[in-house]
Amino acid sequence: KASTTDVPRTPSHNKTSSTAQTLKVGDTVEGQYNGMYDEWYKGKIIKIYQGAIIDVKYTDGDVDYGLGSANVRKFVPYQVGEAVDASYFQDEEYIRVRIIKKTGTEYVVRTKEGDR
């Protein structure tokens, strides 16, 4: 579902629920794909209905229609030291890595075994 620039996070990364946030069309957010997985993917809000039903277009082009506000949250940029799941290639399995350096929009990560 994600590329190396669209790394899924666990729910604990951003503890602020979207119900406590003001979300609007065009905001960069993270959504739970299909509203049911414990992984959050980066995208943009493309429509909001009745203030609580949200359509999100993800960076890989997939679109979720009708997500509940509990399944969408504002995007917080990744931080050095943060642990995330990542893959080297789009269809590979994800592994847990730690961000060790950020340069612009690119990240250098290290695996548990020490690989970069």
Side-chain angles (χ1 to χ4, degrees):
K1 163 89 186 87
S3 69
T4 54
T5 59
D6 182 27
V7 180
R9 294 183 176 163
T10 59
S12 62
H13 169 77
N14 181 348
K15 295 183 189 241
T16 306
S17 75
S18 59
T19 55
Q21 303 174 44
T22 303
L23 298 174
K24 61 187 183 307
V25 173
D27 280 353
T28 299
V29 295
E30 290 179 311
Q32 285 181 294
Y33 189 64
N34 289 330
M36 56 194 283
Y37 301 105
D38 285 338
E39 296 175 340
W40 296 80
Y41 296 94
K42 188 176 175 185
K44 286 199 182 278
I45 294 177
I46 55 174
K47 193 159 190 174
I48 299 176
Y49 308 85
Q50 302 169 356
I53 307 299
I54 302 166
D55 294 348
V56 174
K57 182 174 184 177
Y58 297 103
T59 57
D60 68 358
D62 285 350
V63 177
D64 253 338
Y65 298 99
L67 287 174
S69 59
N71 303 108
V72 180
R73 63 187 182 198
K74 286 199 176 211
F75 175 73
V76 176
Y78 304 114
Q79 301 296 316
V80 172
E82 182 177 353
V84 296
D85 294 323
S87 68
Y88 285 106
F89 301 102
Q90 189 167 358
D91 293 325
E92 277 194 11
E93 189 174 318
Y94 288 95
I95 58 170
R96 181 59 83 179
V97 298
R98 187 161 304 279
I99 297 171
I100 60 171
K101 182 179 179 183
K102 180 180 178 190
T103 307
T105 59
E106 295 186 355
Y107 299 89
V108 176
V109 297
R110 178 166 285 145
T111 64
K112 168 166 72 164
E113 291 81 20
D115 297 334
R116 282 181 165 199

